[in-house]
Protein backbone atom coordinates (compact mmCIF):
# COMPACT_ATOMS: atom_id res chain seq x y z
CA UNK A 1 0.00 0.00 0.00
CA UNK A 2 1.46 3.33 -1.10
CA UNK A 3 2.06 5.93 1.57
CA UNK A 4 0.62 9.14 0.12
CA UNK A 5 1.93 11.15 3.05
CA UNK A 6 5.45 11.38 1.68
CA UNK A 7 4.30 13.37 -1.36
CA UNK A 8 2.49 15.83 0.91
CA UNK A 9 5.54 16.09 3.15
CA UNK A 10 7.74 16.87 0.13
CA UNK A 11 5.37 19.69 -0.80
CA UNK A 12 5.63 21.06 2.72
CA UNK A 13 9.43 20.93 2.64
CA UNK A 14 9.32 22.79 -0.68
CA UNK A 15 7.44 25.63 0.99
CA UNK A 16 3.83 24.65 0.31
CA UNK A 17 1.99 25.04 3.64
CA UNK A 18 -1.03 23.39 2.09
CA UNK A 19 0.97 20.17 1.94
CA UNK A 20 1.20 20.10 5.73
CA UNK A 21 -2.51 20.85 6.11
CA UNK A 22 -3.41 17.98 3.81
CA UNK A 23 -0.94 15.73 5.60
CA UNK A 24 -2.60 16.47 8.93
CA UNK A 25 -6.02 15.78 7.45
CA UNK A 26 -4.74 12.47 6.08
CA UNK A 27 -3.31 11.15 9.35
CA UNK A 28 -5.05 12.88 12.24
CA UNK A 29 -7.99 10.47 12.51
CA UNK A 30 -5.86 7.32 12.64
CA UNK A 31 -3.25 8.92 14.89
CA UNK A 32 -5.86 10.09 17.38
CA UNK A 33 -7.31 6.59 17.70
CA UNK A 34 -3.85 5.10 18.00
CA UNK A 35 -2.78 7.52 20.74
CA UNK A 36 -6.12 7.16 22.52
CA UNK A 37 -5.45 3.45 22.75
CA UNK A 38 -2.59 4.29 25.12
CA UNK A 39 -4.01 7.22 27.07
CA UNK A 40 -7.77 6.57 27.22
CA UNK A 41 -8.34 10.31 27.36
CA UNK A 42 -9.60 12.13 24.27
CA UNK A 43 -8.36 15.57 25.30
CA UNK A 44 -4.93 14.27 26.22
CA UNK A 45 -4.77 12.23 23.01
CA UNK A 46 -5.56 15.33 20.97
CA UNK A 47 -2.77 17.22 22.74
CA UNK A 48 -0.27 14.48 21.99
CA UNK A 49 -1.42 14.31 18.36
CA UNK A 50 -0.81 18.04 18.02
CA UNK A 51 2.65 17.60 19.52
CA UNK A 52 3.40 14.99 16.85
CA UNK A 53 2.58 17.42 14.05
CA UNK A 54 4.39 20.28 15.78
CA UNK A 55 7.51 18.14 15.96
CA UNK A 56 7.11 17.27 12.29
CA UNK A 57 6.81 20.96 11.47
CA UNK A 58 9.69 22.18 13.64
CA UNK A 59 12.26 19.43 13.27
CA UNK A 60 11.64 18.36 9.67
CA UNK A 61 13.85 15.43 10.51
CA UNK A 62 12.35 12.70 8.33
CA UNK A 63 14.83 11.44 5.75
CA UNK A 64 13.63 9.35 2.83
CA UNK A 65 17.05 7.77 2.55
CA UNK A 66 16.66 6.19 5.99
CA UNK A 67 14.64 3.29 4.56
CA UNK A 68 11.76 3.99 6.99
CA UNK A 69 8.31 4.69 5.56
CA UNK A 70 6.87 8.11 6.40
CA UNK A 71 3.81 6.63 8.11
CA UNK A 72 6.07 4.41 10.20
CA UNK A 73 8.10 7.45 11.22
CA UNK A 74 4.96 9.38 12.19
CA UNK A 75 3.49 6.56 14.27
CA UNK A 76 6.83 6.00 15.99
CA UNK A 77 6.79 9.62 17.18
CA UNK A 78 3.20 9.19 18.37
CA UNK A 79 4.02 6.01 20.27
CA UNK A 80 7.06 7.52 21.96
CA UNK A 81 5.16 10.62 23.04
CA UNK A 82 2.26 8.51 24.34
CA UNK A 83 4.60 6.34 26.39
CA UNK A 84 6.28 9.45 27.80
CA UNK A 85 2.91 10.76 28.94
CA UNK A 86 2.11 7.45 30.61
CA UNK A 87 5.41 7.53 32.47
CA UNK A 88 4.65 11.01 33.78
CA UNK A 89 1.19 10.18 34.99
CA UNK A 90 1.05 9.39 38.69
CA UNK A 91 -1.91 7.09 38.35
CA UNK A 92 -3.77 5.32 35.61
CA UNK A 93 -7.39 6.00 34.92
CA UNK A 94 -9.65 3.07 34.13
CA UNK A 95 -11.66 4.54 31.29
CA UNK A 96 -13.53 2.38 28.82
CA UNK A 97 -12.42 2.62 25.19
CA UNK A 98 -15.31 4.48 23.58
CA UNK A 99 -14.51 4.29 19.90
CA UNK A 100 -11.06 3.01 19.01
CA UNK A 101 -11.86 2.29 15.39
CA UNK A 102 -14.66 3.00 12.95
CA UNK A 103 -13.67 0.44 10.37
CA UNK A 104 -15.04 -3.08 10.45
CA UNK A 105 -12.57 -5.83 11.23
CA UNK A 106 -12.47 -9.52 10.43
CA UNK A 107 -11.56 -12.42 12.61
CA UNK A 108 -10.08 -15.54 11.07
CA UNK A 109 -9.26 -18.75 12.84
CA UNK A 110 -5.88 -19.15 11.15
CA UNK A 111 -2.26 -18.92 12.20
CA UNK A 112 -1.39 -16.75 9.22
CA UNK A 113 -1.45 -12.96 9.12
CA UNK A 114 -5.01 -12.68 7.80
CA UNK A 115 -7.36 -9.71 8.26
CA UNK A 116 -9.80 -9.62 11.19
CA UNK A 117 -13.58 -9.91 10.44
CA UNK A 118 -16.65 -10.21 12.56
CA UNK A 119 -19.39 -12.55 11.39
CA UNK A 120 -21.64 -9.82 10.04
CA UNK A 121 -24.88 -10.84 8.38
CA UNK A 122 -25.13 -10.66 4.63
CA UNK A 123 -28.12 -8.30 4.66
CA UNK A 124 -26.89 -4.85 3.54
CA UNK A 125 -29.65 -3.03 5.42
CA UNK A 126 -28.96 -4.73 8.74
CA UNK A 127 -27.48 -1.59 10.33
CA UNK A 128 -28.66 -2.35 13.86
CA UNK A 129 -26.84 -5.67 13.99
CA UNK A 130 -23.71 -4.12 12.51
CA UNK A 131 -23.72 -1.31 15.09
CA UNK A 132 -24.12 -3.81 17.91
CA UNK A 133 -21.22 -5.88 16.62
CA UNK A 134 -19.05 -2.78 16.17
CA UNK A 135 -19.74 -1.86 19.77
CA UNK A 136 -18.87 -5.37 20.89
CA UNK A 137 -15.62 -5.20 18.94
CA UNK A 138 -14.65 -1.89 20.55
CA UNK A 139 -15.44 -3.17 24.01
CA UNK A 140 -13.50 -6.38 23.43
CA UNK A 141 -10.43 -4.53 22.16
CA UNK A 142 -10.56 -2.19 25.15
CA UNK A 143 -10.13 -5.18 27.46
CA UNK A 144 -7.02 -6.50 25.74
CA UNK A 145 -3.50 -6.03 27.04
CA UNK A 146 -1.82 -2.87 25.76
CA UNK A 147 0.63 -4.89 23.64
CA UNK A 148 -2.18 -6.74 21.88
CA UNK A 149 -4.27 -3.61 21.35
CA UNK A 150 -1.26 -1.76 19.96
CA UNK A 151 -0.31 -4.46 17.47
CA UNK A 152 -3.87 -5.21 16.30
CA UNK A 153 -4.60 -1.51 15.81
CA UNK A 154 -1.52 -0.92 13.69
CA UNK A 155 -2.00 -4.06 11.61
CA UNK A 156 -5.72 -4.21 10.94
CA UNK A 157 -6.91 -0.64 11.29
CA UNK A 158 -3.87 1.30 10.12
CA UNK A 159 -3.01 -1.34 7.50
CA UNK A 160 0.68 -1.43 8.37
CA UNK A 161 2.75 -4.54 7.56
CA UNK A 162 4.48 -6.41 10.42
CA UNK A 163 7.87 -5.12 9.30
CA UNK A 164 6.82 -1.49 9.82
CA UNK A 165 5.03 -2.35 13.07
CA UNK A 166 8.29 -3.84 14.32
CA UNK A 167 10.08 -0.54 13.67
CA UNK A 168 7.36 1.52 15.35
CA UNK A 169 7.16 -0.66 18.45
CA UNK A 170 10.89 -1.46 18.60
CA UNK A 171 10.29 -5.19 18.40
CA UNK A 172 11.57 -7.97 16.21
CA UNK A 173 9.34 -8.97 13.30
CA UNK A 174 8.92 -12.44 14.79
CA UNK A 175 7.69 -10.87 18.03
CA UNK A 176 5.12 -8.86 16.08
CA UNK A 177 3.78 -12.01 14.41
CA UNK A 178 3.61 -13.74 17.80
CA UNK A 179 1.73 -10.82 19.33
CA UNK A 180 -0.66 -10.73 16.37
CA UNK A 181 -1.45 -14.41 16.84
CA UNK A 182 -1.91 -14.12 20.61
CA UNK A 183 -3.82 -10.87 20.24
CA UNK A 184 -6.30 -12.44 17.82
CA UNK A 185 -6.75 -15.36 20.19
CA UNK A 186 -7.41 -13.01 23.09
CA UNK A 187 -9.82 -10.94 20.99
CA UNK A 188 -11.75 -14.05 19.97
CA UNK A 189 -12.08 -15.04 23.61
CA UNK A 190 -13.42 -11.60 24.54
CA UNK A 191 -15.89 -11.64 21.67
CA UNK A 192 -17.09 -15.13 22.53
CA UNK A 193 -17.52 -14.05 26.14
CA UNK A 194 -19.86 -11.33 24.84
CA UNK A 195 -21.74 -13.85 22.70
CA UNK A 196 -20.41 -12.48 19.41
CA UNK A 197 -19.62 -15.05 16.73
CA UNK A 198 -16.91 -14.86 14.08
CA UNK A 199 -16.22 -16.51 10.77
CA UNK A 200 -13.70 -19.26 10.24
CA UNK A 201 -12.01 -19.26 6.81
Amino acid sequence: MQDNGIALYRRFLDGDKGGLEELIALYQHGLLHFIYGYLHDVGLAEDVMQEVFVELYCRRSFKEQSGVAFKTYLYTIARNKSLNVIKKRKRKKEVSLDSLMEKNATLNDTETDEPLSLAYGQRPDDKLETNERDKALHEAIAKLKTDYREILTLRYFEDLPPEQIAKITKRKVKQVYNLLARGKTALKAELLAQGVGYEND
Side-chain angles (χ1 to χ4, degrees):
M1 184 175 181
Q2 185 177 2
D3 187 354
N4 295 326
I6 187 59
L8 298 174
Y9 188 63
R10 290 194 198 108
R11 283 173 48 193
F12 162 64
L13 292 179
D14 290 338
D16 182 358
K17 292 183 179 180
L20 181 62
E21 294 175 357
E22 291 180 40
L23 188 148
I24 291 173
L26 176 65
Y27 289 116
Q28 64 181 354
H29 185 71
L31 272 177
L32 182 61
H33 281 175
F34 178 62
I35 296 168
Y36 181 75
Y38 290 100
L39 306 180
H40 307 293
D41 183 310
V42 174
L44 193 55
E46 289 177 343
D47 290 343
V48 171
M49 180 186 67
Q50 290 175 4
E51 289 180 12
V52 172
F53 289 119
V54 167
E55 179 166 334
L56 191 67
Y57 176 84
C58 295
R59 294 183 61 185
R60 308 185 185 199
S61 56
F62 176 75
K63 307 296 182 184
E64 292 186 59
Q65 296 83 1
S66 65
V68 177
F70 181 78
K71 188 173 182 179
T72 301
Y73 173 78
L74 199 63
Y75 274 74
T76 299
I77 296 175
R79 179 179 186 267
N80 291 339
K81 288 187 177 296
S82 298
L83 294 178
N84 286 338
V85 169
I86 291 173
K87 290 178 182 178
K88 293 178 181 178
R89 292 169 81 176
K90 295 182 179 179
R91 61 187 179 88
K92 292 184 178 180
K93 295 181 180 180
E94 295 297 329
V95 181
S96 61
L97 192 58
D98 197 15
S99 179
L100 180 62
M101 305 107 186
E102 291 184 353
K103 299 178 183 177
N104 293 336
T106 41
L107 199 59
N108 294 312
D109 190 23
T110 65
E111 296 181 357
T112 57
D113 182 30
E114 297 293 335
L116 287 180
S117 168
L118 291 180
Y120 293 123
Q122 298 301 314
R123 294 168 294 175
D125 60 340
D126 198 0
K127 294 182 179 179
L128 178 60
E129 180 180 357
T130 297
N131 290 337
E132 289 176 350
R133 290 178 183 274
D134 282 343
K135 181 180 178 181
L137 174 64
H138 299 160
E139 291 176 351
I141 290 175
K143 295 178 181 179
L144 298 182
K145 292 171 53 178
T146 300
D147 287 350
Y148 295 162
R149 185 168 61 244
E150 173 184 64
I151 297 297
L152 291 175
T153 299
L154 288 171
R155 178 68 188 99
Y156 297 112
F157 298 92
E158 293 306 321
D159 199 26
L160 291 173
E163 292 75 16
Q164 289 188 32
I165 295 174
K167 292 179 180 178
I168 292 173
T169 61
K170 297 180 174 63
R171 293 185 175 96
K172 295 180 180 179
V173 175
K174 183 177 181 180
Q175 290 177 312
V176 171
Y177 276 105
N178 288 338
L179 284 171
L180 281 171
R182 293 200 295 267
K184 286 194 289 185
T185 298
L187 182 56
K188 290 177 188 178
E190 289 292 346
L191 289 170
L192 288 174
Q194 296 180 33
V196 179
Y198 56 87
E199 295 177 347
N200 291 323
D201 291 343

